[in-house]
Amino acid sequence: MTRSTYRFVDLTIRHVPEGGVIWETFCRTEGCGLDSGPCDSQEAAQDWALRHSGVTDHDLFKRVVTDNAEVMYAEDSVMEKDRDSLLRR
Ligand SMILES: [Zn+2]
């Protein structure tokens, strides 16, 4: 019989600034299917929607913000300690 020991640790998730943020706006008018494409700023994605609406009268949009996140132990010092102890088992 194999015995296993489990430990429960607190994890946290945070935005990774180096990964940047991407804004996109999608037209929701049926049959349109156009979108802003990935934009480096919220203003650029919104400006596309305003221009698109001005030309087409389409007025419903989906806005998507994408970022990168990293999961880590709640305390970095705990993480290093736990990693070391787990590797020794
Ligand atoms: Zn549209």
Side-chain angles (χ1 to χ4, degrees):
M1 177 179 202
T2 304
R3 264 182 83 183
S4 299
T5 302
Y6 295 95
R7 290 191 62 216
F8 296 93
V9 296
D10 290 329
L11 299 174
T12 186
I13 188 166
R14 69 173 184 91
H15 167 68
V16 179
E18 301 82 24
V21 178
I22 297 170
W23 285 268
E24 293 178 271
T25 305
F26 299 83
C27 181
R28 298 300 305 258
T29 298
E30 189 173 328
C32 179
L34 294 179
D35 63 73
S36 66
C39 298
D40 291 337
S41 71
Q42 181 179 17
E43 292 76 23
Q46 290 184 162
D47 285 349
W48 176 86
L50 294 170
R51 286 192 307 274
H52 182 70
S53 187
V55 173
T56 62
D57 272 346
H58 296 169
D59 58 359
L60 183 61
F61 296 89
K62 174 175 71 175
R63 299 188 297 183
V64 175
V65 180
T66 305
D67 73 342
N68 294 282
E70 176 182 32
V71 172
M72 59 191 340
Y73 288 95
E75 295 179 33
D76 284 339
S77 60
V78 172
M79 179 177 74
E80 294 303 321
K81 183 178 159 187
D82 285 347
R83 257 194 205 152
D84 290 344
S85 64
L86 288 172
L87 290 174
R88 276 181 266 161
R89 289 183 186 165

